Amino acid sequence: MYIRFLVSNAAAGSVIGKGGSTITEFQSKSGARIQLSRNHETFPGTSDRIIMVSGAIDDILKAMELILGKLFDELNVEDNEDVGPRTKVRLIVPNSSCGSIIGKGGATIKSLIEDSQAGIKISPLDNNFYGLNDRLVTLTGTLDEQMQAIDLILSKLCEDPHYSQAMHAPFSYAATYYSMSYAPNGTGGKFPNHKEDRSNSITIGVPDEHIGLVLGRGGRNIMEISQVSGARIKISDRGDFMSGTTDRKVTITGSQRAIHQAECMIMQKVANATERMMD
């Protein structure tokens, strides 16, 4: 499993520590892997960097407690108040996985708030930048309340099969915005992993009534998704459904990253449609 969240540049510095001492210590204490996006790799629309913590759930929680505990302590020194500080943590959650946190009619998020006593808010879809398929889940409260909320949210995300797939490109925003050939040092950028180039293929089901939205007028949407993600996308003919459903087959071919991005963009179109129908 993994979890991603935002930190300011200054906070990133204190998590890394002198010569990487703090991050090394946190990794060995928790058993989780802690990765930070680089200086220029910020989350779109913010000047904040991204931390990804991955490993077994208990290890992730231990690492989160160490990281957030350190950031809380530093805030406390600055504020110097007797009252326990209330700060916020912004988690990055793929849009396709937000449903498992919100629940039917908001039932799940209500129970998460009650059980953790933390404030939990999910950014609206309109804040989404071009090609960005993540939303921010903001947690407010004391360290204990936030940790409780993280624990509960992680266990929900664990049940979501889409969630683990998003791990392949945790800091891919820079790549999305400055096109994939971004390679300042001439070595093929920060993804020298040649396994990525081989074509993979997945088939997902999209309800027949939403296929028009995925295609767009004159095929405009699907061309845009294909261009932005770099994946090839093929939609089955009318009446050719995933077995046992009325979902049309959408086959996406390309590198894992391209497939993931195209899948997210298609799911986003479908999610927008279903949200509109519910309104």
Side-chain angles (χ1 to χ4, degrees):
M1 271 306 280
Y2 71 100
I3 194 164
R4 293 176 300 164
F5 62 105
L6 299 186
V7 284
S8 68
N9 230 342
S14 67
V15 172
I16 296 167
K18 218 178 196 150
S21 57
T22 308
I23 200 167
T24 310
E25 178 199 339
F26 285 177
Q27 289 193 100
S28 62
K29 273 187 180 167
S30 65
R33 185 170 180 213
I34 303 169
Q35 294 163 276
L36 265 104
S37 66
R38 296 180 197 165
N39 253 333
H40 63 274
E41 292 172 331
T42 54
F43 188 78
T46 73
S47 54
D48 292 331
R49 284 162 74 179
I50 303 148
I51 293 187
M52 175 159 109
V53 181
S54 51
I57 287 208
D58 287 347
D59 299 347
I60 292 178
L61 292 171
K62 225 173 280 174
M64 289 298 287
E65 197 152 7
L66 291 166
I67 295 169
L68 296 181
K70 183 168 176 55
L71 300 180
F72 259 87
D73 287 348
E74 288 180 3
L75 273 175
N76 224 1
V77 171
E78 284 169 26
D79 297 345
N80 217 353
E81 287 176 14
D82 298 335
V83 197
R86 291 179 71 79
T87 61
K88 61 181 182 181
V89 176
R90 284 167 302 164
L91 305 178
I92 303 169
V93 176
N95 185 42
S96 56
S97 304
C98 282
S100 57
I101 299 174
I102 298 168
K104 212 173 193 160
T108 308
I109 197 165
K110 275 193 195 112
S111 76
L112 293 175
I113 292 170
E114 274 167 30
D115 296 346
S116 66
Q117 293 293 297
I120 305 175
K121 269 203 171 112
I122 300 185
S123 66
L125 269 173
D126 334 334
N127 290 357
N128 271 5
F129 280 68
Y130 181 64
L132 171 62
N133 303 297
D134 290 317
R135 286 159 88 167
L136 291 177
V137 178
T138 304
L139 313 176
T140 46
T142 63
L143 180 57
D144 286 348
E145 290 162 353
Q146 288 182 8
M147 283 307 303
Q148 186 66 28
I150 289 168
D151 191 350
L152 294 167
I153 287 171
L154 261 179
S155 58
K156 287 279 168 234
L157 293 173
C158 240
E159 298 160 10
D160 177 5
H162 284 292
Y163 186 70
S164 59
Q165 295 171 359
M167 192 166 164
H168 297 304
F171 311 132
S172 60
Y173 305 110
T176 309
Y177 291 93
Y178 310 121
S179 94
M180 283 301 188
S181 60
Y182 179 67
N185 49 7
T187 58
K190 55 184 228 296
F191 302 112
N193 181 353
H194 298 300
K195 287 208 302 274
E196 286 284 10
D197 303 337
R198 264 180 275 161
S199 278
N200 307 289
S201 174
I202 65 162
T203 300
I204 57 174
V206 170
D208 202 20
E209 68 267 26
H210 295 327
I211 278 291
L213 277 163
V214 175
L215 277 166
R217 192 170 280 167
R220 196 179 304 159
N221 289 354
I222 201 139
M223 271 159 59
E224 181 194 358
I225 292 171
S226 192
Q227 277 168 354
V228 171
S229 65
R232 290 195 302 285
I233 303 163
K234 188 171 176 290
I235 295 177
S236 66
D237 297 331
R238 277 211 176 117
D240 181 4
F241 298 131
M242 303 277 278
S243 62
T245 69
T246 54
D247 287 359
R248 296 271 284 279
K249 296 178 201 162
V250 179
T251 305
I252 308 169
T253 313
S255 70
Q256 272 183 327
R257 201 171 322 109
I259 287 177
H260 173 68
Q261 192 172 359
E263 184 187 7
C264 285
M265 290 175 81
I266 289 168
M267 289 309 183
Q268 175 114 29
K269 294 252 180 266
V270 175
N272 287 353
T274 42
E275 276 185 25
R276 262 188 231 121
M277 283 161 75
M278 281 161 66
D279 282 351

